[in-house]
Amino acid sequence: MKLHKAKLAALAAAALFSLNAAGTAEAAAPEKQLSLIAEQAVAWNADFADSLRDGDSFAITDLDGNGRLELLILKSVRNPIPEANANGSNRQKGMALVASMPITLRPRGYEVSADGKRLEEIIFHYEDKIIPPNLTNINSGNAYYYADDKTRSYSISTLNRIGKLEFRMYKQVLSMKDGTMTVQTIGMEQGQYGLFDDIATAEAIIELHEDQYGKRIENQQAFNEYVEAYHAGCDPAQVRVSWISAEELRPALKSTDTLRSLLSESWNEFRFGLKDKPDVKNKKNKNK
């Protein structure tokens, strides 16, 4: 079975509705939290030269809904492929596409403390295999809300290149609570990229599907049903996260006010809500 070149799926036109978890009222106003994050830029972005080189991404979120803002940072680690040439033959161009895929990712983040006076580093807890998640795919995955304990979770895909032309696509579930992001890998697909002389492309061909225990799953449909079954009993939701590239962030770092404004734009775009609710603006954001 074939899966064409991976793309970020556009968010469906579903309604978004703000959900407020317990403790939100005690959090500092978003504007104060954004100011704190901007003022602490030296601490969370000390190696900005590396951020530019690696194409880091940054976003302001409230994934757990506790009213305390999070700053998420994702670094992509890539390895060159000698045969790759973006200006060469179609096969070489296809190889260049493959070379752009990360071999691993390095996520980190900070959450504003309960008293609103400092940033606390987010702990990433891996329940099984240590496979760093592609946080930017929160947008293209599915979100869920568990009404019983008022928690949110996010189903994402993390693609890693293995060697020159092989890849693994991990299906993962993310959830945050008390400053810890729990990452669980519930399934894996693997295969290789096919290159073609008649067109500059790199087609991902899936050869194997497995569940979290390494048990083989027969086909793509069965694999998708297996992933969906993991979230039985919860309400489908939708999330929107606005990511800032390192290139966008660079000029803003010259001024705390400019940086705060850029971070505010990311926050104002953040949404989380049930799919069947009316479209409203995030209640924690103020209209401009």
Side-chain angles (χ1 to χ4, degrees), residues 62-198:
D62 184 14
L63 294 181
D64 55 5
N66 66 357
R68 294 158 54 190
L69 304 192
E70 305 129 7
L71 168 67
L72 301 182
I73 304 171
L74 183 70
K75 181 184 296 293
S76 298
V77 181
R78 300 177 177 86
N79 271 355
I81 299 178
E83 298 91 331
N85 185 351
N87 298 313
S89 66
N90 285 334
R91 180 173 289 269
Q92 290 172 325
K93 291 177 181 177
M95 192 72 81
L97 291 173
V98 175
S100 69
M101 301 298 174
I103 60 169
T104 189
L105 301 125
R106 294 176 184 166
R108 61 190 178 96
Y110 299 85
E111 184 178 42
V112 176
S113 62
D115 60 11
K117 296 181 179 180
R118 64 188 185 281
L119 295 181
E120 299 174 337
E121 190 163 4
I122 294 172
I123 298 171
F124 284 81
H125 170 69
Y126 298 90
E127 290 197 341
D128 36 42
K129 303 174 182 177
I130 300 179
I131 300 167
N134 188 338
L135 299 177
T136 62
N137 281 347
I138 291 175
N139 268 347
S140 56
N142 294 316
Y144 300 88
Y145 180 69
Y146 295 84
D148 289 347
D149 58 5
K150 298 182 179 180
T151 59
R152 308 172 179 186
S153 67
Y154 306 88
S155 178
I156 69 166
S157 296
T158 293
L159 176 67
N160 288 346
R161 174 167 64 87
I162 309 296
K164 288 185 179 180
L165 290 175
E166 295 181 0
F167 68 86
R168 290 177 186 164
M169 177 83 80
Y170 300 96
K171 298 296 182 179
Q172 297 174 296
V173 177
L174 312 179
S175 60
M176 261 202 67
K177 185 177 181 180
D178 299 329
T180 295
M181 181 175 289
T182 299
V183 183
Q184 184 170 15
T185 300
I186 63 172
M188 184 270 292
E189 299 173 301
Q190 70 180 40
Q192 63 179 352
Y193 290 102
L195 305 178
F196 304 92
D197 292 325
D198 56 340

Side-chain angles (χ1 to χ4, degrees), residues 235-274:
D235 296 318
Q238 203 154 25
V239 63
R240 180 185 302 155
V241 177
S242 178
W243 289 91
I244 304 167
S245 70
E247 286 290 349
E248 292 175 301
L249 193 68
R250 174 165 57 178
L253 288 171
K254 298 177 181 178
S255 163
T256 299
D257 288 341
T258 304
L259 178 58
R260 181 174 55 245
S261 178
L262 183 63
L263 297 176
S264 179
E265 289 178 17
S266 176
W267 168 240
N268 286 335
E269 289 297 317
F270 176 77
R271 301 285 192 281
F272 180 93
L274 301 180

Side-chain angles (χ1 to χ4, degrees), residues 1-3 167 169 171 186-191 205-224 226-227:
M1 181 177 183
K2 297 184 177 181
L3 173 69
F167 68 86
M169 177 83 80
K171 298 296 182 179
I186 63 172
M188 184 270 292
E189 299 173 301
Q190 70 180 40
I205 304 170
I206 295 177
E207 299 172 338
L208 175 68
H209 314 270
E210 291 181 347
D211 66 13
Q212 65 190 103
Y213 306 107
K215 181 181 177 181
R216 186 161 187 160
I217 297 177
E218 185 176 354
N219 53 47
Q220 183 73 57
Q221 180 178 349
F223 184 80
N224 292 341
Y226 157 76
V227 172

